[in-house]
Amino acid sequence: MKKYDVAVCGGGFAGISAALAASREGKSVILFEREYILGGLGTAGLVTIYLPLCDGYGHQVSFGIAEELLKLSIKYGAEDRYPENWLDGVGTRTEKDKRYLVQYNAQLFAILVEKLLVDNGVDILYGSYVVDAETENNRITKLYIENKSGRLEYNVRSVVDATGDCDIAKFTGAPTDTFKPGNVLAAWYYFTGDDGYKLQMIGSSPMPEAERLSDGIKLYTQRRFTGLDGEEISELVYLSHQRTFEDWLEKRKNDPNTVISTIATIPQLRMTRKIVGEYELSDSEMHTYFEDSIGMVSDWKKRGPVYEVPFRTLYSKKVKNLITAGRCTSVNETLWDVMRVIPCCAVTGQAAGTAASMTDDFTTLDVSKLQERLKNNGVVLHEKDIINN
């Protein structure tokens, strides 16, 4: 049995941020990732658009590791959507200008962020899937993982559920809820043709209004997928491959030189299961002050809304040393589609990892001390602090 201060389950942007934050606090950290690449949907899933860190009206709202990872993703150049007004100070930042978002290369980012974590002392265990957890007195005492070595036990002090599917919360009996509308079929892929190397976006957000707002994104079928059933997920992947193939055949009619460069190696599911935390943040609570805010996020679909994220949305008192990050956090159904994207995953991940480094009982953590550490690491907590500046 191996022992760690902090176990981070899931190596997407939420897990990356949590592991990085906890390790920078001097704790021993293990990161379990079932694939053999970090980044989740943002790399293996080819959803390579780092959505806005700003509110669309000239105010940056997400800071700290969220901005650090954005800059890392384009360290050797952006693929597309380069915001020179934010990164180079060229031009203005009004509601008519570019938002603070980029498009990056998935494979390069995965290599760079892997090195970042290793350099900061994080132990990464690839090909490893958490299959169960043991609890005692409302605390997780052991995690059981499976990989090529078989089934292994890990003794842990605190756990970050960044699985995207809230698997650890489900294993431990913490209250969870599922995404009732289900996920649309998505088949994002890269192709190369006469016009160069391009990202083709087929299917996007499970929320219908996002389909109408996302230029260039095609909706293929009205069927929805829960993302929580093995047979269903396998069928989704097959249909995604077929849709990619059909789209490529269409492209070849106009450009015979078109070739598929890369396809997603994980199912492109957006929302599946989340925790029912001590507070549920609603989409109606934009511009609302929360005393226990751990950072801010914006709405990627429209300009204007800013949400402070209460610490209470990250955990349930049912399992005291379990905290969630990314799309696993406690929000209502409409806001879920906002909170699932990369900047929000990084913001909640940094908070979760920092908190996990401080305690094994999130119900009794002095939030003011957590906020102080976050501020010292570049996070801005309240909207009033950016408006006034």
Side-chain angles (χ1 to χ4, degrees):
M1 184 189 300
K2 297 183 179 180
K3 298 182 180 181
Y4 283 89
D5 295 321
V6 179
V8 178
C9 307
F13 276 81
I16 289 167
S17 302
L20 186 59
S23 64
R24 285 175 172 171
E25 294 292 332
K27 301 301 179 180
S28 59
V29 180
I30 179 76
L31 173 62
F32 300 115
E33 171 51 48
R34 66 182 177 185
E35 309 299 329
Y36 289 86
I37 182 174
L38 295 176
L41 273 179
T43 55
L46 299 185
V47 184
T48 53
I49 302 173
Y50 205 119
L51 287 165
L53 301 181
C54 70
D55 65 355
Y57 286 93
H59 303 106
Q60 183 177 343
V61 301
S62 299
F63 298 84
I65 289 176
E67 186 172 25
E68 178 183 356
L69 295 182
L70 181 146
K71 291 182 176 179
L72 181 68
S73 75
I74 57 169
K75 182 177 180 179
Y76 295 96
E79 278 191 351
D80 198 1
R81 306 172 193 250
Y82 185 86
E84 61 277 351
N85 54 337
W86 287 96
L87 293 170
D88 302 328
V90 177
T92 57
R93 302 175 183 175
T94 71
E95 66 274 13
K96 297 180 181 179
D97 297 310
K98 292 180 180 180
R99 295 186 70 176
Y100 194 0
L101 64 91
V102 300
Q103 185 174 320
Y104 59 92
N105 180 273
Q107 290 76 25
L108 183 57
F109 174 78
I111 293 170
L112 293 174
V113 82
E114 177 186 72
K115 185 177 187 305
L116 177 65
L117 290 181
V118 171
D119 287 349
N120 277 271
V122 176
D123 288 345
I124 303 171
L125 202 60
Y126 285 120
S128 299
Y129 197 95
V130 180
V131 295
D132 205 355
E134 186 173 305
T135 60
E136 184 178 336
N137 298 324
N138 295 328
R139 281 184 171 84
I140 298 171
T141 56
K142 296 177 186 176
L143 290 176
Y144 296 92
I145 68 102
E146 289 186 356
N147 60 24
K148 197 67 174 178
S149 301
R151 178 169 288 203
L152 306 173
E153 294 180 12
Y154 282 81
N155 184 286
V156 293
R157 181 171 177 267
S158 57
V159 179
V160 179
D161 188 339
T163 60
D165 299 324
C166 223
D167 288 336
I168 315 307
K170 182 69 173 177
F171 293 152
T172 58
T176 60
D177 195 11
T178 58
F179 184 61
K180 304 305 188 297
N183 292 264
V184 300
L185 180 68
W188 291 32
Y189 71 97
Y190 277 88
F191 68 95
T192 306
D194 289 341
D195 293 331
Y197 182 65
K198 302 289 185 180
L199 172 64
Q200 176 64 57
M201 300 176 288
I202 303 174
S204 178
S205 165
M207 306 300 279
E209 65 271 19
E211 293 297 337
R212 294 194 294 270
L213 290 168
S214 300
D215 293 338
I217 296 180
K218 304 174 183 178
L219 186 61
Y220 178 55
T221 176
Q222 294 301 318
R223 182 177 172 187
R224 299 297 180 109
F225 301 85
T226 67
L228 296 171
D229 177 88
E231 291 184 1
E232 178 204 59
I233 293 172
S234 296
E235 186 178 3
L236 178 151
V237 170
Y238 168 74
L239 291 172
S240 174
H241 293 166
Q242 292 304 302
R243 183 67 188 104
T244 296
F245 180 64
E246 292 169 8
D247 193 76
W248 171 69
L249 289 177
E250 285 295 317
K251 283 182 168 52
R252 289 190 72 205
K253 292 178 182 179
N254 297 320
D255 179 4
N257 294 320
T258 299
V259 295
I260 296 174
S261 302
T262 184
I263 64 173
T265 54
I266 61 172
Q268 295 171 331
L269 294 159
R270 267 57 174 200
M271 294 176 280
T272 55
R273 185 166 50 216
K274 61 182 173 65
I275 199 165
V276 177
E278 296 307 297
Y279 187 84
E280 181 182 86
L281 185 63
S282 168
D283 62 298
S284 64
E285 293 178 292
M286 61 185 77
H287 312 299
T288 300
Y289 176 89
F290 288 99
E291 187 174 357
D292 64 335
S293 172
I294 49 80
M296 293 176 288
V297 300
S298 62
D299 189 330
W300 63 271
K301 294 181 287 186
K302 56 188 175 183
R303 297 172 186 259
V306 175
Y307 296 93
E308 296 187 10
V309 182
F311 180 61
R312 291 164 291 162
T313 63
L314 305 187
Y315 69 93
S316 165
K317 62 184 179 183
K318 298 292 185 181
V319 185
K320 295 181 178 181
N321 64 339
L322 174 66
I323 192 165
T324 65
R327 69 188 200 202
C328 296
T329 60
S330 184
V331 295
N332 75 346
E333 199 165 84
T334 302
L335 190 60
W336 202 348
D337 196 33
V338 172
M339 288 297 296
R340 66 177 176 81
V341 302
I342 291 174
C344 307
C345 289
V347 168
T348 54
Q350 181 172 2
T354 304
S357 75
M358 298 172 65
T359 185
D360 62 353
D361 186 348
F362 299 110
T363 67
T364 61
L365 178 63
D366 185 339
V367 178
S368 66
K369 292 183 179 179
L370 168 63
Q371 291 173 317
E372 192 62 33
R373 293 198 188 188
L374 291 172
K375 287 192 290 186
N376 289 340
N377 288 305
V379 176
V380 180
L381 302 173
H382 302 290
E383 190 175 9
K384 64 181 179 65
D385 296 325
I386 59 170
I387 299 299
N388 293 339
N389 290 331

